[in-house]
Structure formats: structure tokens, C-alpha cells
């Protein structure tokens, strides 16, 4: 069960791919150069490279 409203809303986004896309969009909007690694699979590696 979610601990707070933010966690509940993040869980409502759906799968991990949609959550990662949200992060890419928000970071790009905040001025980061976002380069997704295009690697699929379980976490444990890099999903995206960021530069500011």
C-alpha cells in the first residue's frame, strides 16, 4: 500500500517504461540533455545518460 499521495500517483502511471518516459520528459524540460540507452530489461543498469 502506498505511503503517501505522491507514491500512489507514481504507481498509477503504469509500467516502468511509462515512468521512465515521464522522467526523461521532465529532465529534458529542466534543461538536461537526455540520451536514452535503449536497453530493455530489468533494472540494474543505466536507462538514460544525462548531461547538463
Amino acid at each position: 500500500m502506498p505511503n503517501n499521495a505522491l507514491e500512489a500517483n507514481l504507481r498509477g502511471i503504469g509500467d516502468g517504461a511509462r515512468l521512465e518516459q515521464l522522467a526523461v520528459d521532465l529532465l529534458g524540460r529542466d534543461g538536461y540533455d537526455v540520451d536514452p540507452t535503449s536497453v530493455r530489461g530489468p533494472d540494474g543498469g543505466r536507462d538514460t545518460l544525462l548531461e547538463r
Side-chain angles (χ1 to χ4, degrees):
M1 180 142 236
N3 294 328
N4 58 46
L6 175 59
E7 188 174 338
N9 288 324
L10 289 173
R11 288 180 190 267
I13 290 172
D15 64 8
R18 289 187 64 194
L19 181 58
E20 288 175 13
Q21 186 59 53
L22 173 63
V24 166
D25 292 344
L26 291 172
L27 289 165
R29 193 175 86 179
D30 198 35
Y32 286 89
D33 180 23
V34 183
D35 180 17
T37 60
S38 300
V39 176
R40 297 258 183 225
D43 284 349
R46 293 184 183 142
D47 295 323
T48 303
L49 303 175
L50 300 174
E51 285 190 37
R52 186 162 228 186

